[in-house]
Amino acid sequence: MADRSLIFPAQEYRDRTARLQQEIARAGMDALFLTAPADIFYVTGFLTRFWESPARPWFVVIPRSGDPVAVIPAIGEALMARTWMPQIRTWDAPDPRDDGISLLADVLGDLVAEQGCIGLPMGLETHLRMPLGDYADLCRRLAPRRFADATGVVQHVREVKSAAEIAKIRASCVIAGRAFDAVPQIARRGRGLDVVFRDFQVLLLREGADWVSYVAGGAGPDGYGDVISPAGAQPLQDGDVLMLDTGAVREGYFCDFDRNFAIGAASDLARRTHAALWQATEDVLQALRPGMLACDAHRMLCDGLTRRGATPGAGRLGHGLGVTLTEWPSFTPLDRTELREGMVLTLEPGAATADGRIMVHEENIVLRADGCELLSPRAPHDLPEIL
Amino acid sequence: MADRSLIFPAQEYRDRTARLQQEIARAGMDALFLTAPADIFYVTGFLTRFWESPARPWFVVIPRSGDPVAVIPAIGEALMARTWMPQIRTWDAPDPRDDGISLLADVLGDLVAEQGCIGLPMGLETHLRMPLGDYADLCRRLAPRRFADATGVVQHVREVKSAAEIAKIRASCVIAGRAFDAVPQIARRGRGLDVVFRDFQVLLLREGADWVSYVAGGAGPDGYGDVISPAGAQPLQDGDVLMLDTGAVREGYFCDFDRNFAIGAASDLARRTHAALWQATEDVLQALRPGMLACDAHRMLCDGLTRRGATPGAGRLGHGLGVTLTEWPSFTPLDRTELREGMVLTLEPGAATADGRIMVHEENIVLRADGCELLSPRAPHDLPEIL
């Protein structure tokens, strides 16, 4: 679009605000106070890479009823003014004497009565993106108003994606799918893994990513040691399994899936593990329904791997996806979040191969009333070989 | 290097730890508690893009004397084990019942006596990267131990770069410099700004960036409206001034500078403004010395612009640079941080042109005992024209 400063029509943001306000009321709160980039983008549509600078805090306040208010550094006023946001208050940041706190206290104090409760996300997968000392000061200024955990409010609303959001995530998945299709052109034996990572990012940009917030991967015989290390210069060799994983971003929405490739002919172990990962994913693609729990998806993936002779890896085996690379819920044995229609999720089984090595596999889906709809182009059943 | 998991020799990290421990003692604290990606990278060398996922917190504790301890999710153990870190404790994250907090409380409780004080950054430009509710729980578990603001401890140490760090930042600047040299090949009239942003990221990767954490810019007649908006599809036109700004990353270290280009023949106003920005920067390059204050740099840049008939822009006109895109101090009228030898800084004057438009200019330097040494290849005095 010509102006990226409004990703969706204003009605999309009004709907989100109304859903958040329902949850604010249900939680017995009087306002929701947001500081995290994803939450602020979700409510306002304010899209910028400027978050990379930790210098300035940004705030959005949503009262239980009425219009939300953005309380932001003046440097963001022009961009925020092009979003739907009806009320914008600014200060000159950074200000070591008072970095927006008295302005923010005024806004919150006007919207919330003295006996009121201000919700903010304090729970799993959340961070307060402002100086902790300023938050303590804010609490003092606003007393006797209480601050309480609103993680559930935000999680419950953000977890279920609108049709417009699903279309954006699908677009990011399509971009990454085309980049993965071209990997055999860049991942030849003898090339360093660091060069492959770099070239893969170029492919993602060429295919239409606005930027590439995440690339990870690994390469080794029959699997890789871990999936979060930066790439070294070691050259790809015959017998390696190469895995590339990406969170490419288009218009603020992420994909998050990976693909495996054998360098040269695949070993039996790598081939069997890939097939087990693919089949365990296929089982869940067929069986997952709204009403199941996040821990059910974890169990189904583990059972599917075990049934096919693979050893399930540790850790979570999938998660939510949208305006961040990973979102609630988590597919672990402990997460009892109910899966609902409209959730966008990753299925991410991992299996141990040999010598502390693993292989992982990932797809992105949206959960419909009658089951999973793929957003990522389905990986091939057979581990592709780059000969 | 073959293994990117240790960017520097272990001695570099031991020196950093010793410097932090001096400051911890000077502040009357018993330990430093760190949660932010930049701080953890700084102490450990743990380099990963996995921070993009908000799902898991990561912790490092530095006692007043003795070895630091990493308290991290098990998924990071293999990578952390390849760094110099002498002590690593892990838990299976994410765990909704206890996401590392009892383990962390044990570690801090063992290292800090009951009457002790635990420092953590709570001030300007800092964030707590863990759930706020877990932090409150941690404070309760560790009482009567006190938590206090250690922003000054971290700022004072991180602000002054080692020779090894300066070499890394210079390498990132060289990469960006080569990419800027190639901009005339991608920024032709008629091309959309979004396409130019994408192609510029490709240039940065081709020139050796590991990843591109930040690209911003703008284009318009005699300047641009703001410098944080995402690029739209509007085509470049004759008479536009195009500005591109980047924080490209190599081995965890950022550059942060920009370049301007006229599309077609530059207007008199654009040419004059560019020359004023260049000269105001040149003045400071000649005059800046250790012992001056951050606010002095701001004043010198404003005076230089005014003297040459330009109108200084609002906001800060430079800042620190290193393991994040922007670091302390800030060149504003309010920041009285003393400039010290070894600081890496950006000089970033901005000037209003017309109709709410601005032009900005940026260089990266290291402050030596006898003045500024450029890390970015110096911009040309005359606004380059892409004809």
Side-chain angles (χ1 to χ4, degrees):
Chain A
M1 66 186 66
D3 186 352
R4 286 285 179 77
S5 53
L6 198 64
I7 303 291
F8 301 109
Q11 190 59 45
E12 171 83 12
Y13 301 103
R14 290 203 186 93
D15 291 346
R16 295 177 184 184
T17 302
R19 289 170 62 212
L20 285 166
Q21 287 175 322
Q22 273 180 11
E23 295 296 321
I24 292 167
R26 197 193 313 256
M29 294 169 176
D30 299 287
L32 179 64
F33 169 53
L34 300 172
T35 65
D39 290 335
I40 290 177
F41 173 56
Y42 185 76
V43 172
T44 67
F46 183 80
L47 179 63
T48 176
R49 298 186 81 177
F50 200 58
W51 297 105
E52 192 66 35
S53 166
R56 299 172 185 85
W58 304 70
F59 311 114
V60 164
V61 178
I62 304 180
R64 188 168 170 156
S65 64
D67 285 336
V69 187
V71 182
I72 61 168
I75 195 171
E77 185 170 16
L79 179 57
M80 189 64 86
R82 300 211 301 278
T83 73
W84 81 288
M85 283 297 282
Q87 292 191 69
I88 303 167
R89 310 284 299 274
T90 68
W91 83 98
D92 288 327
D95 185 332
R97 301 163 309 182
D98 177 357
D99 214 21
I101 300 308
S102 58
L103 177 62
L104 176 61
D106 283 350
V107 168
L108 278 164
D110 284 348
L111 290 170
V112 177
E114 287 206 346
Q115 299 314 312
C117 174
I118 298 164
L120 76 161
M122 301 182 184
L124 209 65
E125 313 209 10
T126 74
H127 311 127
L128 178 75
R129 194 188 178 281
M130 66 183 286
L132 187 59
D134 281 352
Y135 172 72
D137 183 26
L138 186 72
C139 292
R140 276 190 299 271
R141 287 175 189 239
L142 288 168
R145 294 169 189 84
R146 289 170 300 117
F147 286 78
D149 183 18
T151 304
V153 168
V154 175
Q155 177 176 350
H156 199 75
V157 172
R158 272 184 44 196
E159 271 179 347
V160 171
K161 270 64 179 176
S162 70
E165 290 189 281
I166 293 164
K168 296 295 183 200
I169 300 169
R170 189 192 306 274
S172 292
C173 287
V174 167
I175 288 166
R178 288 196 302 247
F180 279 123
D181 287 344
V183 165
Q185 298 162 29
I186 62 165
R188 297 181 298 275
R189 65 175 64 72
R191 299 200 86 203
L193 189 60
D194 54 353
V195 176
V196 173
F197 271 37
R198 218 167 260 141
D199 288 351
F200 183 55
Q201 295 176 86
V202 170
L203 287 176
L204 289 160
L205 290 162
R206 291 266 185 248
E207 294 297 344
D210 292 331
W211 55 77
V212 182
S213 288
Y214 188 71
V215 162
D222 294 329
Y224 15 88
D226 77 303
V227 296
I228 70 167
S229 294
Q234 70 276 13
L236 294 176
Q237 298 183 329
D238 267 332
D240 280 354
V241 178
L242 165 69
M243 184 277 289
L244 292 169
D245 185 5
T246 187
V249 178
R250 171 86 179 188
E251 294 189 302
Y253 279 81
F254 283 74
C255 63
D256 179 17
F257 64 103
D258 66 28
R259 288 296 177 258
N260 290 276
F261 304 86
I263 306 301
S267 71
D268 273 356
L269 178 57
R271 212 183 337 241
R272 274 186 285 115
T273 306
H274 190 270
L277 291 164
W278 194 95
Q279 277 295 348
T281 304
E282 195 66 20
D283 294 349
V284 178
L285 285 174
Q286 299 303 324
L288 206 67
R289 292 289 181 284
M292 292 178 173
L293 307 184
C295 55
D296 295 332
H298 181 270
R299 185 181 35 75
M300 289 158 69
L301 286 166
C302 286
D303 288 354
L305 289 169
T306 307
R307 213 160 44 233
R308 288 173 182 86
T311 307
R316 67 176 176 176
L317 304 182
H319 51 78
L321 170 68
V323 293
T324 49
L325 177 70
T326 75
E327 301 188 351
W328 321 271
S330 290
F331 293 166
T332 69
L334 295 166
D335 191 326
R336 299 189 56 79
T337 304
E338 185 185 336
L339 304 183
R340 290 176 293 153
E341 190 179 343
M343 280 188 173
V344 172
L345 300 161
T346 73
L347 305 177
E348 190 175 8
T353 54
D355 297 332
R357 292 204 183 81
I358 56 172
M359 285 177 62
V360 295
H361 176 79
E362 192 168 16
E363 301 285 9
N364 299 161
I365 63 117
V366 54
L367 192 59
R368 303 294 192 185
D370 58 352
C372 293
E373 179 185 332
L374 274 166
L375 296 177
S376 50
R378 187 75 170 104
H381 174 277
D382 295 330
L383 178 60
E385 296 174 335
I386 301 178
L387 297 171
Chain B
M1 65 187 62
D3 187 350
R4 287 284 179 78
S5 51
L6 199 63
I7 302 291
F8 301 109
Q11 191 58 44
E12 171 82 13
Y13 301 103
R14 289 203 186 91
D15 291 346
R16 294 177 185 185
T17 302
R19 290 170 62 212
L20 285 166
Q21 286 175 324
Q22 274 179 11
E23 294 296 320
I24 292 167
R26 195 192 313 255
M29 295 171 177
D30 299 286
L32 178 65
F33 168 52
L34 300 173
T35 65
D39 290 336
I40 290 178
F41 173 58
Y42 185 77
V43 172
T44 67
F46 183 79
L47 179 63
T48 175
R49 299 185 81 178
F50 200 58
W51 296 105
E52 192 64 36
S53 166
R56 299 171 185 85
W58 305 69
F59 311 114
V60 163
V61 178
I62 304 179
R64 186 169 171 156
S65 64
D67 285 336
V69 188
V71 182
I72 61 169
I75 195 170
E77 185 170 17
L79 179 56
M80 190 64 86
R82 300 212 302 278
T83 72
W84 81 288
M85 283 296 283
Q87 293 191 67
I88 302 167
R89 309 283 302 273
T90 68
W91 83 98
D92 289 327
D95 185 331
R97 300 163 310 184
D98 177 356
D99 214 21
I101 300 308
S102 58
L103 177 62
L104 176 62
D106 284 350
V107 168
L108 278 164
D110 284 349
L111 291 171
V112 177
E114 285 204 348
Q115 299 313 313
C117 174
I118 299 164
L120 76 161
M122 301 182 183
L124 208 65
E125 312 209 13
T126 75
H127 310 128
L128 178 75
R129 195 189 178 278
M130 66 183 287
L132 187 60
D134 282 352
Y135 172 72
D137 183 27
L138 186 72
C139 293
R140 275 190 299 271
R141 286 175 190 240
L142 288 168
R145 294 169 188 84
R146 288 170 300 116
F147 286 78
D149 183 19
T151 303
V153 168
V154 175
Q155 175 177 352
H156 199 75
V157 172
R158 272 184 45 196
E159 270 179 348
V160 172
K161 270 63 179 178
S162 70
E165 290 189 283
I166 292 165
K168 297 294 184 201
I169 300 168
R170 189 193 305 276
S172 292
C173 287
V174 167
I175 288 166
R178 288 196 303 249
F180 279 122
D181 287 344
V183 164
Q185 296 161 31
I186 62 166
R188 296 181 299 275
R189 66 176 64 70
R191 299 200 87 205
L193 189 61
D194 53 353
V195 176
V196 173
F197 272 37
R198 217 167 262 142
D199 287 351
F200 183 56
Q201 295 176 85
V202 170
L203 287 176
L204 289 160
L205 290 162
R206 291 264 185 249
E207 294 296 345
D210 292 332
W211 55 79
V212 183
S213 288
Y214 188 70
V215 163
D222 293 328
Y224 15 88
D226 77 304
V227 295
I228 71 167
S229 294
Q234 70 275 15
L236 294 176
Q237 297 183 329
D238 267 332
D240 280 353
V241 178
L242 165 70
M243 184 277 289
L244 292 168
D245 185 5
T246 186
V249 178
R250 171 85 178 192
E251 296 190 300
Y253 280 80
F254 284 74
C255 64
D256 179 18
F257 64 101
D258 65 27
R259 289 295 176 259
N260 290 277
F261 304 87
I263 306 300
S267 71
D268 273 355
L269 177 58
R271 212 185 335 244
R272 275 186 284 117
T273 306
H274 189 271
L277 290 164
W278 193 95
Q279 279 294 349
T281 304
E282 194 66 21
D283 293 349
V284 177
L285 285 174
Q286 299 304 324
L288 206 67
R289 292 289 183 281
M292 292 179 174
L293 308 184
C295 54
D296 294 331
H298 181 270
R299 184 181 34 75
M300 289 157 68
L301 285 166
C302 286
D303 288 353
L305 289 170
T306 307
R307 214 162 39 236
R308 290 174 181 84
T311 308
R316 67 175 177 178
L317 303 183
H319 51 77
L321 170 68
V323 294
T324 50
L325 177 70
T326 75
E327 302 189 351
W328 320 271
S330 291
F331 293 165
T332 68
L334 295 165
D335 191 326
R336 300 189 56 80
T337 304
E338 184 185 337
L339 304 183
R340 291 176 293 152
E341 188 179 344
M343 279 187 171
V344 172
L345 301 161
T346 72
L347 306 177
E348 189 176 8
T353 52
D355 297 333
R357 292 205 182 82
I358 57 172
M359 285 177 64
V360 295
H361 176 79
E362 192 169 16
E363 302 285 8
N364 298 160
I365 63 116
V366 54
L367 192 59
R368 304 295 192 184
D370 58 352
C372 292
E373 178 185 330
L374 273 166
L375 297 177
S376 51
R378 187 75 170 104
H381 173 276
D382 293 329
L383 178 60
E385 295 174 336
I386 301 178
L387 297 171

